[in-house]
């Protein structure tokens, strides 16, 4: 879809920002470009939408040499998201999102409809946020608008230059997760620039690790973490690359434990009986739709009444697919021995709980699965019982 052939960019002052770069990105692939500041990432990006012209070499999009395409036409096929979102302060969120369709001359109604659809897609309710102005939004929300705007005219290619660089780490991780879900739905060809190796491995189907204007390694995240190609890459990914795996390993349903489950309208007496029968000290509490409500411990089940009156709010929960790192940090943050896992933020259907032991198992499975190139569910872990028996 995008192909760089021996591309070099020398600035007039003699700086070689990109040096004989060759790179091929497949259709629907999300490639992260990662490296320290000044290594040529932004220059690489801007050559794709012809904000910068290469000194040597050629760039192809869909087989077409982009130097032969009118830059304005070219940019209609490319969504561009940058850190300083660049929203128009005097326009509403809906109008901002509809910018490109508007420029393309779509009818006003259709542009607004499309903008609303996209705001929805990036997790902003258009009926709530659509008529607000950029300054009325948080940094994270503004980044979402930036992504929605870039997608508005449905371009096949997205260029994202440190789009989440300016938001705090917790919000950033949310945005990354949302973006992964979004990408699964829209399936764009994405070049994503970051200086953060964790972000690169978390998002990229493949990651290109930059040295000075050149690519040191171009491979799947697990491969870069598992087998750095050069000492430079090893240094860049860091000595704690085992820990970094936590951020590229998602929670899967098979990782979860099934604790006793109670419903809001259950009688406490029945609840107590159920807990003692299962030998459990607590149960997860669900509402009538089996959505997560909270939890209750044996200390509260002694009295009379219903579970509803004594259930505690759930504080530590995550959707399936969130990273093990998020799970671990959520556990630490809430000083929780387990966290509830739901299907999706929007519905909240309860799937099970993740415990530290299960988290560790999931990590071991993922390392083993990568080493043998098999799915995680097929990994057999040796248990203490097996070791004792052998
Ligand atoms: N317009 C320019 N003129 C001269 N040098 C530039 C210009 N833009 C960037 N550079 C230099 O090119 C190198 C790569 O810059 P850039 O592509 O912005 O890196 P990155 O995005 O990885 O931080 C740096 O050394 C930077 O100082
Ligand atoms: Mg840059």
């Amino acid at each position: 879809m995008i192909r760089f052939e021996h591309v070099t960019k020398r600035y007039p002052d003699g700086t070689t920002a990109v040096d004989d770069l060759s790179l091929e990105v497949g259709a629907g692939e999300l490639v992260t470009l990662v490296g320290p500041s000044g290594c040529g990432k932004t220059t690489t990006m801007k050559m794709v939408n012809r904000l910068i012209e290469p000194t040597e070499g050629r760039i192809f999009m869909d087989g077409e040499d982009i130097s032969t395409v009118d830059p304005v036409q070219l940019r209609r096929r490319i969504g561009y998201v940058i850190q300083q979102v660049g929203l128009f302060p005097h326009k509403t969120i809906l109008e901002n999102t509809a910018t490109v369709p508007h420029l393309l001359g779509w009818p006003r109604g259709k542009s607004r409809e499309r903008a609303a659809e996209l705001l929805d897609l990036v997790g902003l309710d258009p009926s709530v946020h659509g008529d607000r102005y950029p300054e009325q939004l948080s940094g994270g929300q503004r980044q979402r608008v930036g992504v929605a705007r870039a997608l508005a005219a449905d371009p096949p290619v997205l260029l994202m230059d440190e789009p989440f660089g300016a938001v705090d780490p917790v919000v950033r991780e949310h945005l990354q997760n949302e973006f992964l879900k979004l990408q699964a739905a829209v399936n764009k060809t994405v070049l994503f620039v970051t200086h953060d190796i964790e972000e690169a491995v978390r998002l990229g189907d493949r990651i290109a690790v930059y040295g000075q204007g050149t690519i040191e390694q171009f491979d799947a995240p697990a491969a870069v973490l598992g087998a750095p190609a050069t000492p430079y890459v090893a240094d860049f990914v860091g000595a704690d690359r085992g820990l970094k795996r936590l951020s590229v390993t998602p929670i899967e349903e098979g990782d979860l434990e099934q604790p006793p489950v109670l419903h809001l309208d259950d009688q406490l007496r029945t609840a107590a009986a159920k807990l003692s029968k299962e030998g459990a000290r607590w149960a997860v509490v669900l509402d009538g739709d089996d959505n997560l409500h909270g939890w209750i411990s044996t200390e509260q089940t002694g009295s009379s009444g219903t579970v509803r009156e004594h259930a505690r709010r759930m504080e530590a929960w995550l959707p399936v697919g969130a990273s093990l790192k998020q799970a671990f940090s959520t556990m630490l943050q809430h000083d929780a021995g387990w966290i509830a896992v739901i299907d999706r933020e929007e519905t909240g259907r309860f799937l099970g709980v993740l415990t530290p032991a299960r988290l560790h198992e999931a990590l071991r499975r993922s390392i083993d699965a990568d080493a043998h190139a098999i799915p995680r569910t097929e990994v057999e872990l040796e248990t203490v019982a097996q070791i004792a028996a052998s």
Side-chain angles (χ1 to χ4, degrees):
M1 181 67 192
I2 304 172
R3 194 167 82 244
F4 289 78
E5 275 184 7
H6 300 289
V7 173
T8 292
K9 175 64 190 181
R10 259 184 303 276
Y11 286 109
D13 67 359
T15 309
T16 304
V18 172
D19 192 5
D20 192 26
L21 177 99
S22 294
L23 173 74
E24 189 159 357
V25 181
E29 195 178 17
L30 197 172
V31 168
T32 48
L33 310 181
V34 64
S37 177
C39 68
K41 305 179 299 290
T42 295
T43 304
T44 305
M45 288 283 234
K46 287 185 169 171
M47 289 192 288
V48 177
N49 60 10
R50 293 192 64 188
L51 290 173
I52 293 176
E53 298 293 347
T55 318
E56 283 162 38
R58 294 197 298 174
I59 301 169
F60 296 85
M61 191 179 292
D62 242 352
E64 192 176 19
D65 183 341
I66 63 165
S67 69
T68 66
V69 183
D70 171 53
V72 176
Q73 295 292 335
L74 179 71
R75 283 171 210 152
R76 287 185 182 169
R77 293 193 253 150
I78 303 174
Y80 190 36
V81 189
I82 54 173
Q83 191 178 105
Q84 313 75 3
V85 192
L87 297 179
F88 301 114
H90 55 285
K91 286 190 175 180
T92 66
I93 296 310
L94 200 68
E95 287 163 352
N96 265 289
T97 310
T99 305
V100 181
H102 181 73
L103 285 175
L104 294 176
W106 293 20
R108 189 178 143 85
K110 191 180 160 208
S111 300
R112 292 179 71 90
E113 205 176 292
R114 173 72 180 156
E117 188 184 309
L118 278 157
L119 287 175
D120 209 34
L121 201 62
V122 298
L124 292 174
D125 183 346
S127 67
V128 176
H129 300 99
D131 294 329
R132 293 191 182 162
Y133 289 87
E135 61 167 21
Q136 296 172 295
L137 264 50
S138 71
Q141 288 172 330
R142 281 199 290 267
Q143 285 310 137
R144 291 189 177 95
V145 178
V147 173
R149 184 179 58 180
L151 288 170
D154 206 17
V157 172
L158 264 189
L159 303 180
M160 306 180 76
D161 195 344
E162 313 226 13
F164 309 144
V167 292
D168 71 70
V170 176
V171 175
R172 188 184 312 159
E173 200 150 339
H174 270 291
L175 289 173
Q176 290 167 354
N177 279 335
E178 285 170 9
F179 182 65
L180 282 176
K181 274 195 242 167
L182 181 67
Q183 167 64 359
V186 298
N187 207 33
K188 302 294 177 190
T189 303
V190 186
L191 270 183
F192 189 111
V193 159
T194 177
H195 62 262
D196 175 4
I197 181 71
E198 297 218 23
E199 182 165 74
V201 296
R202 181 146 175 59
L203 295 182
D205 295 318
R206 286 193 290 171
I207 69 184
V209 183
Y210 271 59
Q212 273 311 320
T214 56
I215 292 175
E216 297 266 334
Q217 186 168 10
F218 183 39
D219 216 329
V224 172
L225 291 179
T230 64
Y232 170 87
V233 176
D235 193 40
F236 190 70
V237 298
D240 62 343
R241 57 181 207 262
L243 263 181
K244 289 195 175 81
R245 285 196 77 97
L246 282 176
S247 61
V248 288
T249 311
I251 305 171
E252 291 178 357
E253 249 187 283
D255 300 328
L256 307 179
E257 254 175 63
Q258 299 302 327
V261 161
L262 295 169
H263 285 85
L264 283 171
D265 293 327
D266 289 344
Q267 292 296 322
L268 283 178
R269 263 178 293 112
T270 343
K274 185 167 187 179
L275 282 176
S276 88
K277 184 163 155 252
E278 301 199 22
R281 288 179 33 243
W282 52 272
V284 168
V285 176
L286 306 182
D287 68 13
D289 297 324
D290 282 345
N291 292 337
L292 182 65
H293 176 87
W295 63 288
I296 193 166
S297 77
T298 43
E299 284 137 47
Q300 284 109 37
T301 55
S303 40
S304 62
T306 62
V307 165
R308 183 186 300 275
E309 294 144 37
H310 293 275
R312 299 192 197 168
R313 272 173 51 94
M314 185 67 69
E315 287 181 345
W317 46 269
L318 282 174
V320 73
S323 67
L324 294 182
K325 181 181 166 211
Q326 268 178 300
F328 192 43
S329 70
T330 305
M331 279 179 200
L332 293 176
Q333 188 187 342
H334 296 282
D335 193 19
W338 51 274
I339 56 167
V341 177
I342 57 174
D343 61 343
R344 297 188 289 143
E345 300 273 1
E346 306 82 60
T347 49
R349 192 168 59 83
F350 174 71
L351 298 177
V353 301
L354 190 70
T355 59
R358 289 298 185 99
L359 187 152
H360 184 219
E361 257 182 44
L363 187 66
R364 286 174 62 205
R365 274 181 206 286
S366 96
I367 292 170
D368 232 46
D370 275 339
H372 298 102
I374 55 172
R376 229 161 94 193
T377 43
E378 285 174 21
V379 174
E380 298 269 350
L381 289 182
E382 199 170 53
T383 64
V384 175
Q386 283 168 341
I387 297 168
S390 63

